[in-house]
Amino acid sequence: MRRSDEHDEIRKQLALYVAGALEAEAETSIAQHIATCPSCAAEFERWQLISGGLRRLPTPQPSAVLFERTHAMASARLAAQAEQRHNRMVLIPLIIFSWAVTVAGWPFFRFATGGLLSVLDIQFRQVWILFAVFSAITWLAGGSAAVLLSAHHRDERRLA
Amino acid sequence: MRLFAGPARSIHMTGSIASIWEGRLGVDAAVLQLRRGDPDALATLMARYQNRIYRYLLRLVREPADADDLFQQTWLRVAEKIRSFDTSRNFDAWLFTVARNLAFDHLRRLRPSSLDEPVGGDSPNETMVSRLASADPGPFDQMLAGERARLLAGALENLPVSYREVLSLRFEEEMKLEEIAAVLATPLSTVKSRLRRSLEQLREILEMGTAGEVRE
């Protein structure tokens, strides 16, 4: 490689060299070159002024008020998420248990009311409908209570 | 003039390996605690990263009021998404990615054209190095030697956002190129070429001595 080509090649890489973005081999080669070449060394020094200046730029800092406000808001969000997770963990087993009780209660309900049903002459189909209506009202009441409680909690958190 | 000491390496040598490891372990422990919903862990992480995140956001959006707002949004997002963070990954890169996504969404809403990439084209600026070599070093050196920080900050502000970003991550945050590639979600080669172009354009602005040359 001609000497001038070598200079050009080195200078093209100086920006990445000062950024520490070259492979070790290329870095060594550049370091050796600028140790013996005053003009490339001067060029390197200029790049170094820029890179050094960038590293020493003053660091702007967020205000203490911003920090506190952000921490308070993020903590509240963490708490809300924790509560949601907790509610989910409680509600899911509760729902499964309720359904199990409902299904298991059906034969028991028939057995317990068997004598009465025969006295009153109520047919199987009518009992099934009554049972379904009773279950639906129970679930609806439970669901409404859960929604109202959740809304109440949310309002309390907002006011806090 | 240090010829043989790699410029970036000399910075890294100032911190002892032990303290780096302690810091790393501290972050990992705080992240695990935060995943369990501990607000103290959040305070620890915020105290550790507040200046870096704020500086990065400010470099991207330039307006302190916007940086304040994005700073807040970043930590809210962190609190929301920390459970989906893969602990085998680098927390720094994840955190900066969260901040970056919010900042770019904000910039996109503000000025969609400002995010057009690339600025200045992908081919290297062949003529600039030779032009710089023949330029009179007097004013340039004086300019840098004088109010270097102010001039640099001014010149930096006139770079396109993708250039400001890569320079901030490399020189201010001292991130490794691989980490920058992770934050930017781009290949390493793109990070290198963007880094080179951003330095060249920064130098070009400094040499012109004006902050008016914007190719954004």
Side-chain angles (χ1 to χ4, degrees), chain A residues 11 19 27 46 59 77 81, chain B residues 9 55 79-80 133 137 170:
Chain A
R11 288 176 188 198
E27 274 195 5
R46 289 188 198 177
T59 300
R77 190 157 294 185
Q81 283 184 320
Chain B
R9 283 176 190 160
R55 175 172 60 190
E80 238 172 53
R170 183 67 192 126

Side-chain angles (χ1 to χ4, degrees), chain A residues 7 10-20 22 26-27 30-52 55, chain B residues 1-10 129 132-133 140-141 144 171 199 203:
Chain A
H7 289 307
I10 293 290
R11 288 176 188 198
K12 272 182 202 168
Q13 295 186 72
L14 282 177
L16 285 182
Y17 178 64
V18 295
L22 291 176
E27 274 195 5
I30 289 174
Q32 283 171 349
H33 179 90
I34 56 184
T36 58
C37 173
S39 66
C40 286
E43 181 70 4
F44 163 68
E45 220 167 333
R46 289 188 198 177
W47 279 116
Q48 233 187 356
L49 283 173
I50 295 176
S51 66
R55 288 191 173 97
Chain B
M1 184 172 62
R2 288 191 305 271
L3 293 178
F4 286 94
R9 283 176 190 160
S10 62
V129 174
L132 286 175
F140 174 66
D141 288 344
L144 285 177
F171 292 100
L199 279 166
R203 181 169 172 171

Side-chain angles (χ1 to χ4, degrees), chain A residues 18 22 28 30 35 38 58 70 77 91 111 138 140 156:
Chain A
V18 295
L22 291 176
T28 310
I30 289 174
T70 305
R77 190 157 294 185
L91 270 179
F111 174 76
T138 311
L140 205 63
E156 273 186 346

